[in-house]
Amino acid sequence: MQGPKERKLQRTTWVVFSDRGYQMANMNDVSRLAGVSRGTVSNYINGLKVRPAAQERIENAIKKLNYVPNAAARTLKTNRSSYVVLIIPRVDTPFFSELSYCMQQVLKENGYKMILCNSNSRPQEEFEYIQMAKTQKVAGIITMSYADIRELVPPDIPLVALENKVADFFPLITSDNYHGGSLAASKLYSLGARKLLFISKAPVKDVSQIREQGFRDYCEDNKIEHDRFVAQNKANFVDDFRYFIESEVTDKKFKYDGVFSDSDEYVSDFWYLLQQRKIAVPEEVQLIGFDGARVYPRQQVVVSSIKQPVTEITRQAFKSLQQQLIGKNNTQNEMYEPLVLPVSFIQGQTTKQAES
Amino acid sequence: MQGPKERKLQRTTWVVFSDRGYQMANMNDVSRLAGVSRGTVSNYINGLKVRPAAQERIENAIKKLNYVPNAAARTLKTNRSSYVVLIIPRVDTPFFSELSYCMQQVLKENGYKMILCNSNSRPQEEFEYIQMAKTQKVAGIITMSYADIRELVPPDIPLVALENKVADFFPLITSDNYHGGSLAASKLYSLGARKLLFISKAPVKDVSQIREQGFRDYCEDNKIEHDRFVAQNKANFVDDFRYFIESEVTDKKFKYDGVFSDSDEYVSDFWYLLQQRKIAVPEEVQLIGFDGARVYPRQQVVVSSIKQPVTEITRQAFKSLQQQLIGKNNTQNEMYEPLVLPVSFIQGQTTKQAES
C-alpha cells in the first residue's frame, strides 16, 4: 500500500497532465463512481489511510472525472485555509524582498501559500490586512508591524511577530540588533577608524534605536570618540545628509573616519555623497550599514554591513507558526520570550580589508 | 437608504473595533436574531438591496454577534475567490520586487488579495502554481512564464501574461523591448560612444533576444561599430566578464566605449569590474542597462538604464484581468494582440550628461 506522500504526488500528476475537459466534478461524483462512501473519499483526500481496494477505485474515479479537491470546501470543513498572510512595510527594498522570497519558499515547502501584504508602514493598512486575515480564515499571520494590532487578532489565528513585539502572548523573532550596533563600532575601530559617527533618519525608534544603543554603548565602554547625525527632513533626508557633509568638511577632509547606520540605504546614499565630494571610501572614511541584503541574489556585497540571518528568521517564523497551529486553542495563555538570532559582519566595498 | 458601498464600510468598522469576543457567529445566527430569512441576510451580505426595516435589523444582529462574513463560504457559492496569483521568477531583485509591490497595490485597491509565487524559473514550479490556482478557484493568474503552461490553464480562469506570450488566447502585456535596445544604442552614440558592445549571459532568448536585436539593428542601420560578448559560464558569469575585460584592455584602455546589456544586473557587475581595472565610468566607458528599477524606492538612479513602465504594466495587467472576469466564459475564443508599452531612458551615474 502506498503512503500518503506518494498518493499526493500522483494526484498532482493526474490533474496537471489530464487531457480531459475542466467541468468540475465534486466529491459526491467521486463517491458515486467509485462505489464507496463520501467519508472514505474524504479520508483519502485528506491523506488518511483507506483500504487498498477502495483506494484504487477512488483513484480511478478521480482520474476519470478529473476531480480537483476544492480548497474552499475544505476550508469550510476544517475552518482554516492554507494561506499565510505576510505583512511587511513594502516589498521593494533588498531586505524585505529577500525576506519575502525566503518566507514564500519555506511556506511552499510546507504546503502553504503566501498572501503578500504591503502596509506602507500605515496602521490603517495593517488593520485592514488583519481584518482580511480573519475573513479569509487564514492559517496564520507573520507580521512586521508598527501599529498596535494586539486587540485585533483573534485567539484562534496564530501570529508571529518579526522585529517588533506585538504582545507577550505572540512569539517574536528578531535579529540581535543591539549586538549588531556594537559589532559595527568594534569593526570600525579595529579597521583603524577613530572618530565614529552614527547616521539615521528621524524618528530613531524601535530596532533603529536598539542598533544605535549597541553602537553607542560600545563606544562609551571603550572610550571611542563618537557622534550622531539624524536627518530631520523625512521626505528628503539625502539633502540633509548633503548639508551635513558640507558642514563637516574642512580642507577636503571629512571630520569622521567611521560611519555606522541602522540601514544599508542610508549608507549607500552617504557613500554616493562622499564620492561626489571626492572623499575616498574606504581609504578616508569607512561605512557600515545594517541588513546586508544583496540587490541581486548572486551579486557581490556592495555595502559593508551587519547581516540579518534572513533564512534563519523565516525558518524560525514558520516553526513558531506551526507550533501554534498544533496547539492553537491556547496560544494566548502562553507567554513568549523573544527569539534573538545572531547577526554577522559582511565585508563589502565600504570598509578596508582586515589585516591577517 | 444606504448604498452598498456605505454598508460595506460600516461592516468593516464593526468588526475591527468590536470589543466583544471572537466566537464565530454564522449567517443562520444573524437570520435568527434579526428575524428575517437567511436569503435576506445573504442578499444584504452580497451588497444587494433589502428593505430598510430588514436592513436595520440585520445590521443590529451583525453588530451584536460580531459576525464576520466567511470568505470560504462565499467562494463555494460564487465559485471564485478574490485571490489573484502572481507568478514571477523570484521577488528578490529590484525589477520583480517593484513589480510585485505595484501589482499588490493595484489588486488591493480593487478588493483582491495577491498570492506571491516564486517559480525560480523552473517549469515544474510554474506547473504546481497553476495547479494550486485551480484548486483554490482563484479569480485570476498574472504570470511571467517561461514554460509552456497553455494546456494547463482551464478556460474559466482569467490569465494575463507578462513579458512572454503564453498563448494567443491570453492577453500579453510587455514593454517595448525592441525599441529599448535601439534607444540604448542611439543614446550611447549621441553621448559620444563609437565602439559599442552588447553584453549578456547565455542563453540570449525571449525578451533578451529582442532587446539585443533592437540594439544591433540600430547599429547596423546607422553603420555604428558594434560587437557582443555573452558569458557562457552561467553559474559564475562575473568571472567570464572579468576575463573578457582583461583580454580587451590594452595600455590601460578598454577596447569599447559604450556598453549595453539586457539587464541592470550585468551592467552593475561590469561597472564594478571596470572600476577595479581603474577604467573610468562614464568618462572612458559608458554603460546602459535595462529595467531601471531602483534598489530603494526613493533612491537616486544608480545605473543608466532603459526603464520599463512598471506602474503602467501592473495597471494594464489588472485592467485586462478585469475584462476577462466580466466576460469570463468565452475568453479562449478571443485572440489578443500584445499590448506593448513604451520604455524610456533614465540617466544614472554610468553615462555622461547630455549637452544641452
Side-chain angles (χ1 to χ4, degrees), chain B residues 82-110:
Chain B
S82 57
Y83 292 104
V84 170
V85 164
L86 177 71
I87 307 176
I88 52 172
R90 49 189 297 168
V91 72
D92 55 347
T93 64
F95 177 66
F96 290 128
S97 69
E98 190 179 338
L99 183 80
S100 301
Y101 174 77
C102 294
M103 200 70 246
Q104 192 266 336
Q105 295 294 105
V106 172
L107 289 169
K108 177 174 181 277
E109 279 165 28
N110 289 280

PDB file of all heavy atoms in Angstrom, chain B residues 82-110:
ATOM      1  N   SER B  82     -11.313  35.755  -4.134  1.00  0.00           N
ATOM      2  CA  SER B  82     -10.805  37.081  -4.502  1.00  0.00           C
ATOM      3  C   SER B  82      -9.275  37.086  -4.505  1.00  0.00           C
ATOM      4  O   SER B  82      -8.645  38.103  -4.314  1.00  0.00           O
ATOM      5  CB  SER B  82     -11.344  38.128  -3.536  1.00  0.00           C
ATOM      6  OG  SER B  82     -10.980  37.779  -2.217  1.00  0.00           O
ATOM      7  N   TYR B  83      -8.697  35.902  -4.716  1.00  0.00           N
ATOM      8  CA  TYR B  83      -7.245  35.811  -4.790  1.00  0.00           C
ATOM      9  C   TYR B  83      -6.774  35.886  -6.231  1.00  0.00           C
ATOM     10  O   TYR B  83      -7.385  35.309  -7.125  1.00  0.00           O
ATOM     11  CB  TYR B  83      -6.755  34.478  -4.220  1.00  0.00           C
ATOM     12  CG  TYR B  83      -6.968  34.364  -2.739  1.00  0.00           C
ATOM     13  CD1 TYR B  83      -7.985  33.581  -2.224  1.00  0.00           C
ATOM     14  CD2 TYR B  83      -6.153  35.050  -1.860  1.00  0.00           C
ATOM     15  CE1 TYR B  83      -8.189  33.477  -0.859  1.00  0.00           C
ATOM     16  CE2 TYR B  83      -6.341  34.957  -0.493  1.00  0.00           C
ATOM     17  CZ  TYR B  83      -7.356  34.172   0.004  1.00  0.00           C
ATOM     18  OH  TYR B  83      -7.557  34.083   1.345  1.00  0.00           O
ATOM     19  N   VAL B  84      -5.663  36.588  -6.413  1.00  0.00           N
ATOM     20  CA  VAL B  84      -5.008  36.591  -7.714  1.00  0.00           C
ATOM     21  C   VAL B  84      -3.594  36.060  -7.502  1.00  0.00           C
ATOM     22  O   VAL B  84      -2.902  36.467  -6.566  1.00  0.00           O
ATOM     23  CB  VAL B  84      -4.979  38.006  -8.333  1.00  0.00           C
ATOM     24  CG1 VAL B  84      -4.091  38.046  -9.566  1.00  0.00           C
ATOM     25  CG2 VAL B  84      -6.396  38.446  -8.689  1.00  0.00           C
ATOM     26  N   VAL B  85      -3.206  35.120  -8.346  1.00  0.00           N
ATOM     27  CA  VAL B  85      -1.880  34.518  -8.254  1.00  0.00           C
ATOM     28  C   VAL B  85      -0.906  35.315  -9.118  1.00  0.00           C
ATOM     29  O   VAL B  85      -1.206  35.579 -10.283  1.00  0.00           O
ATOM     30  CB  VAL B  85      -1.955  33.051  -8.756  1.00  0.00           C
ATOM     31  CG1 VAL B  85      -0.568  32.513  -9.039  1.00  0.00           C
ATOM     32  CG2 VAL B  85      -2.668  32.178  -7.735  1.00  0.00           C
ATOM     33  N   LEU B  86       0.205  35.728  -8.538  1.00  0.00           N
ATOM     34  CA  LEU B  86       1.267  36.363  -9.325  1.00  0.00           C
ATOM     35  C   LEU B  86       2.457  35.413  -9.380  1.00  0.00           C
ATOM     36  O   LEU B  86       3.034  35.082  -8.336  1.00  0.00           O
ATOM     37  CB  LEU B  86       1.708  37.702  -8.709  1.00  0.00           C
ATOM     38  CG  LEU B  86       2.870  38.392  -9.449  1.00  0.00           C
ATOM     39  CD1 LEU B  86       2.428  38.944 -10.808  1.00  0.00           C
ATOM     40  CD2 LEU B  86       3.492  39.504  -8.613  1.00  0.00           C
ATOM     41  N   ILE B  87       2.803  34.967 -10.574  1.00  0.00           N
ATOM     42  CA  ILE B  87       3.952  34.067 -10.736  1.00  0.00           C
ATOM     43  C   ILE B  87       5.098  34.843 -11.386  1.00  0.00           C
ATOM     44  O   ILE B  87       4.938  35.376 -12.485  1.00  0.00           O
ATOM     45  CB  ILE B  87       3.599  32.838 -11.610  1.00  0.00           C
ATOM     46  CG1 ILE B  87       2.358  32.120 -11.064  1.00  0.00           C
ATOM     47  CG2 ILE B  87       4.781  31.873 -11.700  1.00  0.00           C
ATOM     48  CD1 ILE B  87       1.887  30.944 -11.936  1.00  0.00           C
ATOM     49  N   ILE B  88       6.215  34.926 -10.689  1.00  0.00           N
ATOM     50  CA  ILE B  88       7.414  35.588 -11.215  1.00  0.00           C
ATOM     51  C   ILE B  88       8.618  34.688 -10.914  1.00  0.00           C
ATOM     52  O   ILE B  88       8.530  33.802 -10.067  1.00  0.00           O
ATOM     53  CB  ILE B  88       7.646  36.975 -10.564  1.00  0.00           C
ATOM     54  CG1 ILE B  88       7.629  36.869  -9.027  1.00  0.00           C
ATOM     55  CG2 ILE B  88       6.615  37.985 -11.038  1.00  0.00           C
ATOM     56  CD1 ILE B  88       8.036  38.131  -8.316  1.00  0.00           C
ATOM     57  N   PRO B  89       9.746  34.907 -11.613  1.00  0.00           N
ATOM     58  CA  PRO B  89      10.918  34.057 -11.328  1.00  0.00           C
ATOM     59  C   PRO B  89      11.329  34.124  -9.852  1.00  0.00           C
ATOM     60  O   PRO B  89      11.357  33.120  -9.180  1.00  0.00           O
ATOM     61  CB  PRO B  89      11.991  34.615 -12.252  1.00  0.00           C
ATOM     62  CG  PRO B  89      11.225  35.170 -13.407  1.00  0.00           C
ATOM     63  CD  PRO B  89       9.979  35.767 -12.788  1.00  0.00           C
ATOM     64  N   ARG B  90      11.668  35.300  -9.360  1.00  0.00           N
ATOM     65  CA  ARG B  90      11.910  35.453  -7.924  1.00  0.00           C
ATOM     66  C   ARG B  90      11.820  36.924  -7.538  1.00  0.00           C
ATOM     67  O   ARG B  90      12.276  37.798  -8.254  1.00  0.00           O
ATOM     68  CB  ARG B  90      13.220  34.800  -7.458  1.00  0.00           C
ATOM     69  CG  ARG B  90      14.462  35.129  -8.251  1.00  0.00           C
ATOM     70  CD  ARG B  90      15.631  34.240  -7.826  1.00  0.00           C
ATOM     71  NE  ARG B  90      15.985  34.462  -6.432  1.00  0.00           N
ATOM     72  CZ  ARG B  90      16.812  33.673  -5.737  1.00  0.00           C
ATOM     73  NH1 ARG B  90      17.368  32.617  -6.316  1.00  0.00           N
ATOM     74  NH2 ARG B  90      17.085  33.939  -4.482  1.00  0.00           N
ATOM     75  N   VAL B  91      11.279  37.155  -6.363  1.00  0.00           N
ATOM     76  CA  VAL B  91      10.947  38.526  -5.966  1.00  0.00           C
ATOM     77  C   VAL B  91      12.155  39.337  -5.523  1.00  0.00           C
ATOM     78  O   VAL B  91      12.095  40.561  -5.487  1.00  0.00           O
ATOM     79  CB  VAL B  91       9.854  38.506  -4.861  1.00  0.00           C
ATOM     80  CG1 VAL B  91      10.405  38.024  -3.522  1.00  0.00           C
ATOM     81  CG2 VAL B  91       9.196  39.873  -4.698  1.00  0.00           C
ATOM     82  N   ASP B  92      13.280  38.671  -5.227  1.00  0.00           N
ATOM     83  CA  ASP B  92      14.389  39.408  -4.628  1.00  0.00           C
ATOM     84  C   ASP B  92      15.361  40.018  -5.632  1.00  0.00           C
ATOM     85  O   ASP B  92      16.578  39.840  -5.534  1.00  0.00           O
ATOM     86  CB  ASP B  92      15.124  38.559  -3.575  1.00  0.00           C
ATOM     87  CG  ASP B  92      15.588  37.236  -4.125  1.00  0.00           C
ATOM     88  OD1 ASP B  92      15.151  36.860  -5.224  1.00  0.00           O
ATOM     89  OD2 ASP B  92      16.394  36.564  -3.455  1.00  0.00           O
ATOM     90  N   THR B  93      14.813  40.753  -6.593  1.00  0.00           N
ATOM     91  CA  THR B  93      15.608  41.585  -7.495  1.00  0.00           C
ATOM     92  C   THR B  93      14.839  42.899  -7.619  1.00  0.00           C
ATOM     93  O   THR B  93      13.623  42.908  -7.419  1.00  0.00           O
ATOM     94  CB  THR B  93      15.747  40.956  -8.899  1.00  0.00           C
ATOM     95  OG1 THR B  93      14.447  40.899  -9.484  1.00  0.00           O
ATOM     96  CG2 THR B  93      16.337  39.570  -8.853  1.00  0.00           C
ATOM     97  N   PRO B  94      15.528  43.999  -7.955  1.00  0.00           N
ATOM     98  CA  PRO B  94      14.834  45.293  -7.957  1.00  0.00           C
ATOM     99  C   PRO B  94      13.598  45.312  -8.871  1.00  0.00           C
ATOM    100  O   PRO B  94      12.540  45.786  -8.467  1.00  0.00           O
ATOM    101  CB  PRO B  94      15.905  46.265  -8.448  1.00  0.00           C
ATOM    102  CG  PRO B  94      17.190  45.639  -8.023  1.00  0.00           C
ATOM    103  CD  PRO B  94      16.978  44.169  -8.167  1.00  0.00           C
ATOM    104  N   PHE B  95      13.717  44.795 -10.092  1.00  0.00           N
ATOM    105  CA  PHE B  95      12.579  44.889 -11.003  1.00  0.00           C
ATOM    106  C   PHE B  95      11.391  44.060 -10.521  1.00  0.00           C
ATOM    107  O   PHE B  95      10.261  44.547 -10.471  1.00  0.00           O
ATOM    108  CB  PHE B  95      12.989  44.478 -12.427  1.00  0.00           C
ATOM    109  CG  PHE B  95      11.838  44.492 -13.383  1.00  0.00           C
ATOM    110  CD1 PHE B  95      11.211  45.692 -13.721  1.00  0.00           C
ATOM    111  CD2 PHE B  95      11.354  43.310 -13.938  1.00  0.00           C
ATOM    112  CE1 PHE B  95      10.126  45.715 -14.595  1.00  0.00           C
ATOM    113  CE2 PHE B  95      10.271  43.334 -14.804  1.00  0.00           C
ATOM    114  CZ  PHE B  95       9.658  44.536 -15.142  1.00  0.00           C
ATOM    115  N   PHE B  96      11.614  42.833 -10.147  1.00  0.00           N
ATOM    116  CA  PHE B  96      10.487  41.979  -9.723  1.00  0.00           C
ATOM    117  C   PHE B  96       9.902  42.425  -8.381  1.00  0.00           C
ATOM    118  O   PHE B  96       8.702  42.273  -8.155  1.00  0.00           O
ATOM    119  CB  PHE B  96      10.899  40.509  -9.664  1.00  0.00           C
ATOM    120  CG  PHE B  96      11.125  39.923 -11.022  1.00  0.00           C
ATOM    121  CD1 PHE B  96      12.305  39.263 -11.322  1.00  0.00           C
ATOM    122  CD2 PHE B  96      10.166  40.044 -12.013  1.00  0.00           C
ATOM    123  CE1 PHE B  96      12.515  38.729 -12.583  1.00  0.00           C
ATOM    124  CE2 PHE B  96      10.371  39.512 -13.281  1.00  0.00           C
ATOM    125  CZ  PHE B  96      11.551  38.855 -13.569  1.00  0.00           C
ATOM    126  N   SER B  97      10.729  42.979  -7.515  1.00  0.00           N
ATOM    127  CA  SER B  97      10.164  43.436  -6.244  1.00  0.00           C
ATOM    128  C   SER B  97       9.309  44.680  -6.482  1.00  0.00           C
ATOM    129  O   SER B  97       8.253  44.836  -5.874  1.00  0.00           O
ATOM    130  CB  SER B  97      11.262  43.668  -5.200  1.00  0.00           C
ATOM    131  OG  SER B  97      12.053  44.771  -5.517  1.00  0.00           O
ATOM    132  N   GLU B  98       9.734  45.546  -7.399  1.00  0.00           N
ATOM    133  CA  GLU B  98       8.923  46.726  -7.720  1.00  0.00           C
ATOM    134  C   GLU B  98       7.611  46.297  -8.397  1.00  0.00           C
ATOM    135  O   GLU B  98       6.531  46.804  -8.091  1.00  0.00           O
ATOM    136  CB  GLU B  98       9.709  47.671  -8.636  1.00  0.00           C
ATOM    137  CG  GLU B  98       9.044  49.022  -8.813  1.00  0.00           C
ATOM    138  CD  GLU B  98       9.844  49.977  -9.708  1.00  0.00           C
ATOM    139  OE1 GLU B  98      11.068  49.800  -9.868  1.00  0.00           O
ATOM    140  OE2 GLU B  98       9.223  50.904 -10.257  1.00  0.00           O
ATOM    141  N   LEU B  99       7.731  45.336  -9.303  1.00  0.00           N
ATOM    142  CA  LEU B  99       6.537  44.809  -9.975  1.00  0.00           C
ATOM    143  C   LEU B  99       5.569  44.200  -8.958  1.00  0.00           C
ATOM    144  O   LEU B  99       4.352  44.443  -9.012  1.00  0.00           O
ATOM    145  CB  LEU B  99       6.962  43.745 -10.999  1.00  0.00           C
ATOM    146  CG  LEU B  99       5.858  43.132 -11.844  1.00  0.00           C
ATOM    147  CD1 LEU B  99       5.491  44.064 -12.993  1.00  0.00           C
ATOM    148  CD2 LEU B  99       6.286  41.776 -12.405  1.00  0.00           C
ATOM    149  N   SER B 100       6.091  43.429  -8.013  1.00  0.00           N
ATOM    150  CA  SER B 100       5.238  42.789  -7.003  1.00  0.00           C
ATOM    151  C   SER B 100       4.569  43.833  -6.120  1.00  0.00           C
ATOM    152  O   SER B 100       3.399  43.702  -5.762  1.00  0.00           O
ATOM    153  CB  SER B 100       6.061  41.869  -6.095  1.00  0.00           C
ATOM    154  OG  SER B 100       6.690  40.885  -6.867  1.00  0.00           O
ATOM    155  N   TYR B 101       5.339  44.851  -5.765  1.00  0.00           N
ATOM    156  CA  TYR B 101       4.776  45.916  -4.935  1.00  0.00           C
ATOM    157  C   TYR B 101       3.615  46.604  -5.670  1.00  0.00           C
ATOM    158  O   TYR B 101       2.505  46.704  -5.137  1.00  0.00           O
ATOM    159  CB  TYR B 101       5.849  46.944  -4.568  1.00  0.00           C
ATOM    160  CG  TYR B 101       5.283  48.128  -3.826  1.00  0.00           C
ATOM    161  CD1 TYR B 101       4.957  48.028  -2.481  1.00  0.00           C
ATOM    162  CD2 TYR B 101       5.026  49.337  -4.482  1.00  0.00           C
ATOM    163  CE1 TYR B 101       4.393  49.097  -1.799  1.00  0.00           C
ATOM    164  CE2 TYR B 101       4.468  50.409  -3.809  1.00  0.00           C
ATOM    165  CZ  TYR B 101       4.152  50.278  -2.474  1.00  0.00           C
ATOM    166  OH  TYR B 101       3.583  51.337  -1.811  1.00  0.00           O
ATOM    167  N   CYS B 102       3.864  47.048  -6.885  1.00  0.00           N
ATOM    168  CA  CYS B 102       2.839  47.779  -7.641  1.00  0.00           C
ATOM    169  C   CYS B 102       1.624  46.887  -7.914  1.00  0.00           C
ATOM    170  O   CYS B 102       0.485  47.337  -7.823  1.00  0.00           O
ATOM    171  CB  CYS B 102       3.407  48.290  -8.965  1.00  0.00           C
ATOM    172  SG  CYS B 102       4.692  49.534  -8.756  1.00  0.00           S
ATOM    173  N   MET B 103       1.871  45.638  -8.248  1.00  0.00           N
ATOM    174  CA  MET B 103       0.766  44.715  -8.556  1.00  0.00           C
ATOM    175  C   MET B 103      -0.115  44.524  -7.330  1.00  0.00           C
ATOM    176  O   MET B 103      -1.339  44.567  -7.414  1.00  0.00           O
ATOM    177  CB  MET B 103       1.357  43.376  -9.019  1.00  0.00           C
ATOM    178  CG  MET B 103       0.415  42.505  -9.808  1.00  0.00           C
ATOM    179  SD  MET B 103       0.041  43.130 -11.471  1.00  0.00           S
ATOM    180  CE  MET B 103      -1.705  43.507 -11.309  1.00  0.00           C
ATOM    181  N   GLN B 104       0.520  44.321  -6.173  1.00  0.00           N
ATOM    182  CA  GLN B 104      -0.266  44.113  -4.956  1.00  0.00           C
ATOM    183  C   GLN B 104      -1.083  45.356  -4.632  1.00  0.00           C
ATOM    184  O   GLN B 104      -2.241  45.254  -4.209  1.00  0.00           O
ATOM    185  CB  GLN B 104       0.667  43.764  -3.786  1.00  0.00           C
ATOM    186  CG  GLN B 104      -0.057  43.248  -2.536  1.00  0.00           C
ATOM    187  CD  GLN B 104      -0.368  44.348  -1.532  1.00  0.00           C
ATOM    188  OE1 GLN B 104       0.296  45.388  -1.510  1.00  0.00           O
ATOM    189  NE2 GLN B 104      -1.379  44.134  -0.704  1.00  0.00           N
ATOM    190  N   GLN B 105      -0.506  46.529  -4.851  1.00  0.00           N
ATOM    191  CA  GLN B 105      -1.235  47.765  -4.532  1.00  0.00           C
ATOM    192  C   GLN B 105      -2.458  47.914  -5.445  1.00  0.00           C
ATOM    193  O   GLN B 105      -3.538  48.287  -4.993  1.00  0.00           O
ATOM    194  CB  GLN B 105      -0.314  48.980  -4.674  1.00  0.00           C
ATOM    195  CG  GLN B 105       0.850  49.019  -3.691  1.00  0.00           C
ATOM    196  CD  GLN B 105       0.414  49.199  -2.237  1.00  0.00           C
ATOM    197  OE1 GLN B 105       0.442  48.252  -1.441  1.00  0.00           O
ATOM    198  NE2 GLN B 105       0.015  50.396  -1.879  1.00  0.00           N
ATOM    199  N   VAL B 106      -2.294  47.633  -6.728  1.00  0.00           N
ATOM    200  CA  VAL B 106      -3.423  47.733  -7.664  1.00  0.00           C
ATOM    201  C   VAL B 106      -4.502  46.713  -7.293  1.00  0.00           C
ATOM    202  O   VAL B 106      -5.690  47.037  -7.268  1.00  0.00           O
ATOM    203  CB  VAL B 106      -2.958  47.487  -9.123  1.00  0.00           C
ATOM    204  CG1 VAL B 106      -4.153  47.393 -10.063  1.00  0.00           C
ATOM    205  CG2 VAL B 106      -2.017  48.581  -9.579  1.00  0.00           C
ATOM    206  N   LEU B 107      -4.098  45.519  -6.997  1.00  0.00           N
ATOM    207  CA  LEU B 107      -5.071  44.475  -6.643  1.00  0.00           C
ATOM    208  C   LEU B 107      -5.812  44.852  -5.365  1.00  0.00           C
ATOM    209  O   LEU B 107      -7.025  44.710  -5.277  1.00  0.00           O
ATOM    210  CB  LEU B 107      -4.373  43.121  -6.484  1.00  0.00           C
ATOM    211  CG  LEU B 107      -3.873  42.500  -7.794  1.00  0.00           C
ATOM    212  CD1 LEU B 107      -2.975  41.306  -7.511  1.00  0.00           C
ATOM    213  CD2 LEU B 107      -5.043  42.089  -8.680  1.00  0.00           C
ATOM    214  N   LYS B 108      -5.075  45.344  -4.378  1.00  0.00           N
ATOM    215  CA  LYS B 108      -5.684  45.715  -3.112  1.00  0.00           C
ATOM    216  C   LYS B 108      -6.725  46.826  -3.307  1.00  0.00           C
ATOM    217  O   LYS B 108      -7.829  46.743  -2.764  1.00  0.00           O
ATOM    218  CB  LYS B 108      -4.597  46.176  -2.144  1.00  0.00           C
ATOM    219  CG  LYS B 108      -5.123  46.666  -0.805  1.00  0.00           C
ATOM    220  CD  LYS B 108      -3.969  46.951   0.129  1.00  0.00           C
ATOM    221  CE  LYS B 108      -4.462  47.414   1.480  1.00  0.00           C
ATOM    222  NZ  LYS B 108      -4.779  48.845   1.510  1.00  0.00           N
ATOM    223  N   GLU B 109      -6.366  47.852  -4.090  1.00  0.00           N
ATOM    224  CA  GLU B 109      -7.318  48.938  -4.374  1.00  0.00           C
ATOM    225  C   GLU B 109      -8.634  48.399  -4.922  1.00  0.00           C
ATOM    226  O   GLU B 109      -9.681  49.010  -4.765  1.00  0.00           O
ATOM    227  CB  GLU B 109      -6.749  49.875  -5.454  1.00  0.00           C
ATOM    228  CG  GLU B 109      -5.761  50.892  -4.963  1.00  0.00           C
ATOM    229  CD  GLU B 109      -4.989  51.510  -6.133  1.00  0.00           C
ATOM    230  OE1 GLU B 109      -5.531  51.577  -7.259  1.00  0.00           O
ATOM    231  OE2 GLU B 109      -3.817  51.894  -5.913  1.00  0.00           O
ATOM    232  N   ASN B 110      -8.536  47.269  -5.602  1.00  0.00           N
ATOM    233  CA  ASN B 110      -9.726  46.713  -6.244  1.00  0.00           C
ATOM    234  C   ASN B 110     -10.320  45.522  -5.491  1.00  0.00           C
ATOM    235  O   ASN B 110     -11.126  44.777  -6.041  1.00  0.00           O
ATOM    236  CB  ASN B 110      -9.375  46.318  -7.688  1.00  0.00           C
ATOM    237  CG  ASN B 110      -9.151  47.543  -8.552  1.00  0.00           C
ATOM    238  OD1 ASN B 110     -10.107  48.163  -9.008  1.00  0.00           O
ATOM    239  ND2 ASN B 110      -7.896  47.931  -8.730  1.00  0.00           N
TER     240      ASN B 110
END
